[in-house]
């Protein structure tokens, strides 16, 4: 057993419905076999457990592990394609890199980079777009299992409108997805997600295969993109009768284990459908800003009861740091003016941790309550860093959290634990 002494902050109760920050600035947290078994003020927890090994995390903040609900592993080396809208960026920048993952040894080294970079950013759980190639998707699952990362992922499927070498037939999609799901769904911390790239790159026949997989594989996840960019949406409307969200719903793909990324330009009819189905949305503000996609209507999602968490959407996004992503979500709502939802640091922590865990059905993580698995990070900059300078001068726990989101970077992630096991950052 290990007793951690730290400033402990988390959001067990949703701040969008009145929940408040839970904070122990001199806290104690006892972990046994990966599970949090006691928590409180340090002096009290120490009194209850005088003999346990003590680890003092001095300065900085102990936070729940971050949850990235939308990120593309094959794009980890393709960050920084600035100045292009979505479809041009895919064509010129992202897809040529994705095609390189046809080579299994190249894919294995990209998977290595991706998993290591995700952990360094303090991310402990993620819903990850795999590759268009089964061996490359297998390589991601293999690397994540070796590291301990909690991932949900799947083979990315397209049968139209993409580079030829990224296309698959409906039958191949069925067989290869099935085989990967059989190997990885429920193996260790891995789960499988049926992953058509987006309606634009899928025929109805391929989406029907996705529906077959969703019905066939117990508790499988579903993820894709939706309503990201106006030119993309116009093409989807030419291709399918009905709405963009409806193109997935027509094949039974929307439910509580479905996560659609972006959803920037969405109608009320579509929001009602998402709310009715219990499907979640991954808000990817850095990508939406970088590709000029638009300013996410968070308030309308909340009003329709659509669950929202954050995704970095690398490489459309500009990095794997969920601190930066959450700060960008704050900026976007500021820029929406009167239509924006004013986000405070407690909302940002919730969106980056407990909301993400809930969206991904990971009830055993997301906050640092007794009984939860110990997935956590210690945010602690160098003594002379601007982050530490500001943390030392924070007025209270909420003020410290605001500084964490304003100034937190991958470099300040000093330790990461998954299931109580410390991973090298
Ligand atoms: N839509 C389809 N593919 C992608 C992708 O790789 N990134 C983003 N941002 N949107 C997409
Ligand atoms: Zn994406």
């Amino acid at each position: 057993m290990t007793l951690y002494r730290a400033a402990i902050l988390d959001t067990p109760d949703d701040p969008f419905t009145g929940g408040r920050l839970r904070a122990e600035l001199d806290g104690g947290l006892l972990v046994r076999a990966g599970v949090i078994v006691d928590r409180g003020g340090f002096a009290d927890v120490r009194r209850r457990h005088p003999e346990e090994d003590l680890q003092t995390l001095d300065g900085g903040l102990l936070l729940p592990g971050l949850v990235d609900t939308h990120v593309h592993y094959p794009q980890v080396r393709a960050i920084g394609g600035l100045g292009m809208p979505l479809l041009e960026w895919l064509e010129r920048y992202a897809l040529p890199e994705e095609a390189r993952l046809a080579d299994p040894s190249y894919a294995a080294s990209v998977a290595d980079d991706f998993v290591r970079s995700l952990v360094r950013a303090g991310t402990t759980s993620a819903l990850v777009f795999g590759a268009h190639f089964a061996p490359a998707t297998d390589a991601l699952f293999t690397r994540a299992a070796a590291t301990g990362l909690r991932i949900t992922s799947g083979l990315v499927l397209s049968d139209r409108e993409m580079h030829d070498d990224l296309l698959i037939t409906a039958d191949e999609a069925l067989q290869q997805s099935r085989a990967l799901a059989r190997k990885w769904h429920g193996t260790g911390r891995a789960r499988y997600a049926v992953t058509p790239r987006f309606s634009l790159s899928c025929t109805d026949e391929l989406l029907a295969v996705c529906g077959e997989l969703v019905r066939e594989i117990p508790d499988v996840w579903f993820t894709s993109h939706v309503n990201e960019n106006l030119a993309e949406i116009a093409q989807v409307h030419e291709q399918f009768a009905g709405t963009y969200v409806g193109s997935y719903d027509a094949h039974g793909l929307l439910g509580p284990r479905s996560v659609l990324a972006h959803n920037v330009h969405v109608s009320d009819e579509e929001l009602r459908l998402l709310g009715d189905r219990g499907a979640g949305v991954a808000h990817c503000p850095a990508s939406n800003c970088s590709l000029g996609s638009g300013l996410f209507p968070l308030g309308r999602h909340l009003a329709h009861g659509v669950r929202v968490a954050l995704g970095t959407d690398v490489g459309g996004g500009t990095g794997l740091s969920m601190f930066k992503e959450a700060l960008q979500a704050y900026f976007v709502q500021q820029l929406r003016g009167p239509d924006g939802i004013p986000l405070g640091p407690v909302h940002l922590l919730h969106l980056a941790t407990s909301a993400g865990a809930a969206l991904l059905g990971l009830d055993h993580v997301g906050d640092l309550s007794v009984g939860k698995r110990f997935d956590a990070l210690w945010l602690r900059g160098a003594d002379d860093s601007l982050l530490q300078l500001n943390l030392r001068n924070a007025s209270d726990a909420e003020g410290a959290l605001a500084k964490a989101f304003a100034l937190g970077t991958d470099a300040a992630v000093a330790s990461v634990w998954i299931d109580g096991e410390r991973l090298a950052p």
Side-chain angles (χ1 to χ4, degrees):
M1 285 213 279
T2 305
L3 173 57
Y4 295 95
R5 180 178 193 174
I8 306 167
L9 275 58
D10 64 354
T11 51
D13 302 313
D14 184 348
F16 290 105
T17 54
R20 313 206 18 178
L21 179 65
R22 179 167 61 174
E24 274 113 13
L25 288 178
D26 184 14
L29 195 132
L30 188 70
V31 178
R32 181 176 56 210
V35 179
I36 300 168
V37 293
D38 199 358
R39 172 183 170 149
F42 174 73
D44 292 339
V45 181
R46 191 46 156 167
R47 203 171 306 118
R48 292 196 284 273
H49 308 279
E51 305 294 333
E52 303 306 337
D53 280 353
L54 178 64
Q55 278 207 24
T56 301
L57 306 174
D58 205 9
L61 306 174
L62 183 66
L63 304 172
L66 300 164
V67 182
D68 189 339
T69 65
H70 182 74
V71 57
H72 296 251
Y73 120 72
Q75 297 174 7
V76 71
R77 297 180 185 179
I79 298 170
L82 304 181
M84 289 169 271
L86 174 67
L87 298 177
E88 183 188 349
W89 172 82
L90 279 170
E91 175 74 23
R92 287 182 45 201
Y93 200 80
L95 299 184
E97 171 65 8
E98 296 216 13
R100 288 188 194 111
L101 277 81
D103 172 357
S105 69
Y106 184 76
S109 81
V110 173
D112 226 41
D113 287 347
F114 175 76
V115 167
R116 193 168 15 84
S117 304
L118 213 57
V119 172
R120 273 175 189 269
T123 297
T124 51
S125 299
L127 176 57
V128 184
F129 254 64
H132 281 275
F133 311 100
T137 305
D138 186 72
L140 171 69
F141 278 117
T142 302
R143 282 306 304 148
T147 313
L149 203 63
R150 292 183 203 280
I151 65 154
T152 305
S153 188
L155 178 68
V156 179
L157 306 173
S158 290
D159 67 347
R160 68 186 296 278
E161 280 288 330
M162 303 281 281
H163 296 195
D164 284 352
D165 41 359
L166 299 179
L167 301 181
I168 195 168
T169 67
D171 189 52
E172 286 165 345
L174 189 65
Q175 303 308 335
Q176 294 178 23
S177 302
R178 250 187 206 147
L180 281 165
R182 204 171 298 127
K183 181 170 176 187
W184 290 109
H185 188 51
T187 301
R189 296 171 194 148
R191 301 175 310 176
Y192 196 78
V194 176
T195 311
R197 186 158 200 132
F198 57 162
S199 289
L200 185 58
S201 72
C202 299
T203 61
D204 261 314
E205 188 192 3
L206 186 60
L207 292 176
V209 159
C210 293
E212 205 175 324
L213 288 164
V214 162
R215 282 188 297 279
E216 173 183 307
I217 305 167
D219 298 328
V220 78
W221 285 74
F222 171 78
T223 191
S224 194
H225 296 91
V226 77
N227 287 322
E228 177 175 2
N229 164 288
L230 292 173
E232 166 221 17
I233 294 166
Q235 285 193 36
V236 168
H237 285 166
E238 277 173 24
Q239 185 185 335
F240 293 92
T243 65
Y244 201 153
V245 169
S247 68
Y248 299 118
D249 192 57
H251 294 282
L253 297 172
L254 301 183
R257 288 188 305 279
S258 306
V259 177
L260 294 176
H262 301 284
N263 212 30
V264 177
H265 307 283
V266 58
S267 65
D268 282 350
E269 178 193 346
E270 290 175 295
L271 283 169
R272 270 193 297 279
L273 182 56
L274 289 169
D276 287 349
R277 296 287 184 258
V281 167
H283 171 32
C284 306
S287 169
N288 293 342
C289 290
S290 184
L291 299 175
S293 301
L295 302 177
F296 182 71
L298 176 60
R300 291 177 54 228
H301 283 72
L302 296 175
H304 284 86
V306 179
R307 296 173 303 138
V308 174
L310 294 177
T312 60
D313 195 33
V314 153
T318 57
L320 292 169
S321 173
M322 292 293 291
F323 292 107
K324 187 165 94 170
E325 201 64 45
L327 183 67
Q328 193 71 31
Y330 160 79
F331 290 154
V332 165
Q333 293 310 306
Q334 291 290 96
L335 290 173
R336 283 191 67 92
D339 285 342
I341 300 292
L343 297 175
V346 187
H347 297 107
L348 301 188
L349 183 63
H350 167 69
L351 286 168
T353 59
S354 40
L359 203 71
L360 301 189
L362 299 169
D363 299 336
H364 49 303
V365 296
D367 66 60
L368 300 174
S369 297
V370 170
K372 296 246 177 178
R373 315 293 308 181
F374 185 57
D375 280 17
L377 72 101
W378 181 35
L379 187 74
R380 200 326 180 169
D383 281 341
D384 61 352
S385 66
L386 201 53
L387 172 62
Q388 288 308 119
L389 173 68
N390 273 270
L391 287 178
R392 283 193 295 272
N393 287 283
S395 49
D396 56 12
E398 208 166 311
L401 195 57
K403 290 167 181 297
F405 282 106
L407 294 164
T409 60
D410 299 2
V413 173
S415 292
V416 179
W417 296 262
I418 297 181
D419 257 351
E421 190 183 331
R422 183 166 182 260
L423 309 184

